[in-house]
Amino acid sequence: MREFRIAQPGTVEELAALLAETKESFALMAGATDLVDMLKSGVASPDLVVDLQGVEGLAGIAPAKGGLRIGPLARVAALAADPAVGRDFPILKEAALSLATPQLRNVGTVGGNLCQRPRCWYFRDPEVACRKKGGMRCFAMHGRNKYHAVLGGGGCFIVYPSDLAPALISLGATVTVASARGEKSLPLEDFYRLPSVDVTRETVLGRDEFLKDVFVPAPKPGQKAAYVKLKERGTWDFAVASAAVSGVIKGGVASEIAVVAGGIAPVPWRMKAAEALLRGRPVTEALAAQAGAAALKEASPLAENAYKLDLAAAAVKRAVLALL
Ligand SMILES: Cc1cc2nc3c(=O)[nH]c(=O)nc-3n(C[C@H](O)[C@H](O)[C@H](O)COP(=O)(O)OP(=O)(O)OC[C@H]3O[C@@H](n4cnc5c(N)ncnc54)[C@H](O)[C@@H]3O)c2cc1C
């Protein structure tokens, strides 16, 4: 592992000033479960690691006006165990408990989960100069692509690996992005960006910015939500396809419905065609299946991953039916 210096800011202001002023290459570190892998393999080789753990005010899960505030340093295990989360947002508890292992959930943070780097084996291989690392080619496009994107690829076929992101987006979560220049709030859905915008980054975070807050609006009367994660192994694994569905259900009819898929695109994928089909209609098995199929209509699988189409459609169908 290449040597690096470490900085340990104590406040959000110190952190923002440090990121604004430093000329060195740097990486933010929360629980380190993803970053340390990247440092050890050499895929990340910053001069400076900025340890967020001592930054006051970035941890904790607490009621806030109109909803729940989740600090980016809140551990995934704490999210799963939080009584307000269990009561108001069981989908978040489910998504949190579906990810990684108990050990990783005890150490990994919500912010780190939302900002983790993709698992594409070409990206994670220090010997491979793929497009995401500034090279000229996406090796997955014509190479081994079983776990890669069937939607939103084009130039780079990573899938976004977070289980929390689809669940949070389906609930209408927003995030606060901070820097020395100030703060801005945006829907979590808009926090992610496609490779066609900037192939080297998965989020809108600029060099001097960090994730400061996650906010989940209070549930509406009749709101229900479900997360279905399909993976290759029975034990811990990333999703090969997942679906988070949230909606207000009255008399078996869905309104304000959000359908978000994971594991099939470089960003958590909002399935607007499925939402349009479901909105205002009584939820039936046939309609749920139709929604799943509609959601994948635009997909263009690679040589080894067409199997994801049926899986993703099934995940949507199952998550929709779980709302009843
Ligand atoms: C074996 C294994 C299995 C896993 N399985 C799953 C799974 O099934 N589902 C799933 O969703 N995840 C899975 N993960 C990923 C795991 O959830 C993440 O590694 C973890 O949540 C990252 O949190 P962390 O605090 O350790 O982040 P770190 O490793 O510290 O950081 C991760 C990334 O986020 C950035 N970052 C962290 N905090 C901030 C912030 N506040 N602002 C801006 N950038 C920030 C860092 O710079 C870094 O690039 C798995 C990981 C491993 C190692």
Side-chain angles (χ1 to χ4, degrees):
M1 181 156 51
R2 188 176 158 228
E3 278 190 15
F4 54 81
R5 292 191 311 109
I6 192 142
Q8 295 182 302
T11 64
V12 164
E13 292 71 27
E14 279 173 30
L15 169 63
L18 176 74
L19 302 192
E21 285 157 19
T22 186
K23 301 279 180 283
E24 297 168 290
S25 63
F26 63 84
L28 303 183
M29 182 177 78
T33 59
D34 184 26
L35 185 71
V36 164
D37 266 1
M38 305 264 300
L39 294 172
K40 276 160 97 177
S41 67
V43 172
S45 53
D47 297 319
L48 178 69
V49 167
V50 181
D51 181 3
L52 301 179
Q53 305 231 31
V55 179
E56 254 175 57
L58 289 188
I61 300 171
K65 199 172 165 226
L68 190 72
R69 181 231 169 223
I70 304 168
L73 286 185
R75 309 283 173 186
V76 175
L79 182 74
D82 188 85
V85 170
R87 186 188 60 232
D88 294 336
F89 309 109
I91 184 178
L92 281 186
K93 179 175 181 171
E94 205 177 329
L97 289 177
S98 83
L99 74 84
T101 62
Q103 293 89 339
L104 284 159
R105 296 196 290 269
N106 281 336
V107 180
T109 64
V110 172
N113 183 270
L114 296 177
C115 298
Q116 64 181 294
R117 302 303 312 273
R119 311 303 297 191
C120 169
W121 40 41
Y122 297 109
F123 170 67
R124 295 268 168 173
D125 184 338
E127 305 295 323
V128 175
C130 73
R131 287 198 69 213
K132 188 162 267 309
K133 289 182 285 187
M136 299 298 285
R137 280 178 61 194
C138 168
F139 291 83
M141 199 187 304
H142 301 295
R144 304 311 307 263
N145 46 42
K146 179 176 176 185
Y147 299 111
H148 290 76
V150 295
L151 279 158
C156 172
F157 288 83
I158 61 150
V159 295
Y160 207 70
S162 164
D163 285 303
L164 296 182
L168 282 165
I169 291 171
S170 79
L171 295 171
T174 56
V175 289
T176 306
V177 166
S179 72
R181 291 170 285 121
E183 293 186 2
K184 58 191 175 202
S185 172
L186 65 156
L188 178 59
E189 185 179 357
D190 298 339
F191 181 67
Y192 294 103
R193 64 175 162 197
L194 284 167
S196 54
V197 181
D198 179 352
V199 72
T200 63
R201 289 170 175 267
E202 297 83 47
T203 71
V204 298
L205 286 178
R207 179 183 146 84
D208 61 342
E209 292 178 320
F210 58 94
L211 183 62
K212 181 171 173 253
D213 261 328
V214 180
F215 175 78
V216 194
K220 302 196 170 99
Q223 181 173 311
K224 292 197 168 175
Y227 184 61
V228 171
K229 174 177 180 177
L230 302 178
K231 50 194 188 175
E232 201 168 39
R233 308 187 312 158
T235 181
W236 71 263
D237 210 350
F238 290 92
V240 286
S242 68
V245 178
S246 168
V248 172
I249 304 289
K250 281 190 189 138
V253 175
S255 61
E256 302 188 39
I257 191 121
V259 181
V260 188
I264 60 168
V267 297
W269 196 260
R270 188 83 186 251
M271 298 183 131
K272 297 249 161 95
E275 293 173 6
L277 258 175
L278 292 163
R279 200 169 295 121
R281 295 203 173 93
V283 175
T284 61
E285 187 157 354
L287 185 70
Q290 238 181 308
L296 274 302
K297 225 171 173 178
E298 305 292 311
S300 40
L302 300 165
E304 295 179 347
N305 66 6
Y307 77 99
K308 283 195 175 194
L309 272 53
D310 285 346
L311 284 186
V316 171
K317 177 183 169 189
R318 279 165 55 178
V320 169
L321 289 175
L323 300 188
L324 291 177

